[in-house]
Coordinates of all heavy atoms in Angstrom, one line a residue:
R12 N 2.0 7.4 3.3 CA 1.8 8.8 3.3 C 3.1 9.4 3.9 O 3.6 8.9 4.8 CB 0.7 9.3 4.1 CG -0.7 8.9 3.6 CD -1.8 9.6 4.3 NE -1.6 9.5 5.8 CZ -2.4 10.0 6.6 NH1 -3.4 10.8 6.2 NH2 -2.3 9.9 7.9
L13 N 3.6 10.5 3.3 CA 4.8 11.1 3.9 C 4.3 12.1 4.9 O 3.4 12.9 4.6 CB 5.6 11.8 2.8 CG 6.9 12.5 3.3 CD1 7.9 11.4 3.6 CD2 7.3 13.4 2.2
E14 N 5.0 12.1 6.0 CA 4.7 13.2 7.0 C 5.7 14.2 6.9 O 6.9 13.9 7.1 CB 4.6 12.6 8.4 CG 3.4 11.7 8.5 CD 2.9 11.7 10.0 OE1 3.8 11.7 10.9 OE2 1.7 11.7 10.2
D15 N 5.4 15.4 6.7 CA 6.3 16.5 6.7 C 6.2 17.1 8.1 O 5.1 17.4 8.6 CB 5.9 17.6 5.6 CG 7.0 18.7 5.5 OD1 8.1 18.4 6.0 OD2 6.6 19.7 4.9
H16 N 7.3 17.3 8.7 CA 7.2 17.7 10.1 C 7.3 19.2 10.2 O 8.2 19.8 9.6 CB 8.3 17.1 10.9 CG 8.0 15.6 11.2 ND1 9.0 14.8 11.6 CD2 6.9 14.9 11.1 CE1 8.5 13.6 11.8 NE2 7.2 13.7 11.5
C17 N 6.4 19.8 11.0 CA 6.4 21.2 11.2 C 6.8 21.5 12.6 O 6.1 21.0 13.5 CB 5.0 21.8 10.9 SG 4.2 21.2 9.5
N18 N 7.8 22.3 12.9 CA 8.1 22.6 14.3 C 7.1 23.6 14.8 O 6.8 24.6 14.2 CB 9.5 23.2 14.4 CG 10.5 22.1 14.5 OD1 10.2 21.0 14.6 ND2 11.8 22.6 14.5
M19 N 6.5 23.3 16.0 CA 5.5 24.1 16.6 C 6.1 24.7 17.9 O 6.3 24.0 18.8 CB 4.3 23.3 16.9 CG 3.1 24.2 17.3 SD 1.8 23.1 17.8 CE 1.0 23.0 16.2
F26 N 7.5 21.1 19.6 CA 6.9 19.8 19.4 C 7.0 19.5 17.9 O 7.0 20.4 17.1 CB 5.4 19.8 19.9 CG 5.1 18.4 20.4 CD1 5.0 18.2 21.8 CD2 4.8 17.4 19.5 CE1 4.7 17.0 22.3 CE2 4.5 16.1 20.0 CZ 4.4 15.9 21.4
V27 N 7.0 18.3 17.6 CA 6.9 17.9 16.2 C 5.5 17.5 15.8 O 5.0 16.6 16.4 CB 7.9 16.8 15.9 CG1 7.8 16.3 14.5 CG2 9.3 17.2 16.1
T28 N 4.9 18.2 14.9 CA 3.6 17.9 14.5 C 3.7 17.4 13.0 O 4.7 17.5 12.4 CB 2.6 19.1 14.6 OG1 1.3 18.6 14.3 CG2 3.0 20.2 13.7
S29 N 2.6 16.9 12.5 CA 2.7 16.3 11.2 C 1.6 16.8 10.2 O 0.5 17.1 10.7 CB 2.6 14.8 11.2 OG 1.4 14.4 11.9
C30 N 2.0 16.9 9.0 CA 1.0 17.4 8.0 C 1.0 16.3 6.9 O 2.1 15.7 6.6 CB 1.4 18.7 7.3 SG 2.1 19.8 8.5
T31 N -0.1 16.0 6.3 CA -0.2 14.9 5.3 C -0.1 15.5 3.9 O -0.8 16.5 3.6 CB -1.5 14.1 5.5 OG1 -1.5 13.7 6.9 CG2 -1.6 12.9 4.6
F32 N 0.6 14.8 3.1 CA 0.7 15.2 1.7 C 0.3 14.1 0.7 O 0.5 12.9 1.0 CB 2.1 15.6 1.4 CG 2.6 16.8 2.1 CD1 3.3 16.7 3.3 CD2 2.3 18.1 1.7 CE1 3.6 17.8 4.1 CE2 2.7 19.2 2.4 CZ 3.4 19.0 3.6
Y48 N 14.4 18.6 8.2 CA 14.1 17.7 9.3 C 14.7 16.3 9.1 O 14.6 15.5 9.9 CB 12.5 17.5 9.3 CG 11.9 18.8 9.6 CD1 11.2 19.4 8.5 CD2 12.0 19.4 10.8 CE1 10.6 20.6 8.7 CE2 11.4 20.6 11.0 CZ 10.7 21.2 10.0 OH 10.2 22.4 10.2
P66 N 10.9 11.2 10.0 CA 9.5 10.9 10.2 C 9.1 9.5 10.0 O 9.7 8.8 9.2 CB 8.8 11.8 9.2 CG 9.9 11.9 8.1 CD 11.2 11.9 8.8
G67 N 8.2 9.0 10.7 CA 7.6 7.7 10.5 C 6.7 7.8 9.3 O 5.9 8.7 9.2
I69 N 3.6 6.4 7.4 CA 2.4 5.7 7.7 C 2.2 4.6 6.7 O 1.9 4.9 5.5 CB 1.1 6.6 7.8 CG1 1.4 7.6 8.9 CG2 -0.1 5.8 8.1 CD1 0.3 8.6 9.0
E131 N 14.1 9.5 16.3 CA 13.0 8.6 16.7 C 12.3 8.1 15.4 O 12.3 8.7 14.4 CB 12.0 9.3 17.6 CG 10.9 10.1 16.8 CD 9.8 10.5 17.7 OE1 9.9 10.5 19.0 OE2 8.8 11.0 17.2
K133 N 8.4 6.1 14.7 CA 7.2 5.5 15.4 C 6.1 5.5 14.3 O 6.1 6.2 13.3 CB 6.8 6.3 16.6 CG 6.5 7.7 16.3 CD 6.3 8.5 17.6 CE 5.9 9.9 17.4 NZ 5.8 10.7 18.7
S168 N -4.4 7.6 16.9 CA -3.8 8.4 15.8 C -2.3 8.3 15.9 O -1.8 8.2 17.1 CB -4.3 9.8 15.9 OG -3.3 10.7 15.3
V169 N -1.5 8.4 14.8 CA -0.1 8.3 14.9 C 0.5 9.5 15.8 O 1.5 9.3 16.4 CB 0.5 8.3 13.5 CG1 0.5 9.7 12.8 CG2 2.0 7.8 13.5
R170 N -0.2 10.6 15.8 CA 0.3 11.7 16.6 C 0.3 11.3 18.1 O 1.0 12.0 18.9 CB -0.4 13.0 16.4 CG -1.8 13.1 16.9 CD -2.5 14.3 16.4 NE -3.9 14.3 17.0 CZ -4.4 15.3 17.7 NH1 -3.7 16.4 17.8 NH2 -5.6 15.2 18.1
N171 N -0.5 10.4 18.5 CA -0.5 10.0 19.9 C 0.4 8.8 20.2 O 0.5 8.3 21.4 CB -1.9 9.6 20.3 CG -2.8 10.8 20.6 OD1 -2.2 11.9 20.9 ND2 -4.1 10.7 20.4
N210 N -0.2 19.4 21.0 CA -0.1 18.7 19.7 C -0.8 17.4 19.7 O -1.1 16.9 18.6 CB 1.4 18.5 19.4 CG 1.7 18.0 18.1 OD1 1.3 18.7 17.1 ND2 2.2 16.8 18.0
T211 N -1.0 16.8 20.8 CA -1.6 15.4 20.9 C -2.8 15.5 21.8 O -3.0 16.5 22.5 CB -0.6 14.4 21.4 OG1 -0.5 14.6 22.8 CG2 0.7 14.5 20.8

Side-chain angles (χ1 to χ4, degrees):
R12 294 190 311 176
L13 180 75
E14 289 209 321
D15 188 15
H16 285 165
C17 317
N18 275 355
M19 189 186 270
F26 214 100
V27 173
T28 186
S29 56
C30 320
T31 305
F32 293 95
Y48 304 105
I69 300 177
E131 83 170 15
K133 60 188 181 183
S168 154
V169 72
R170 72 189 179 129
N171 282 334
N210 185 65
T211 73

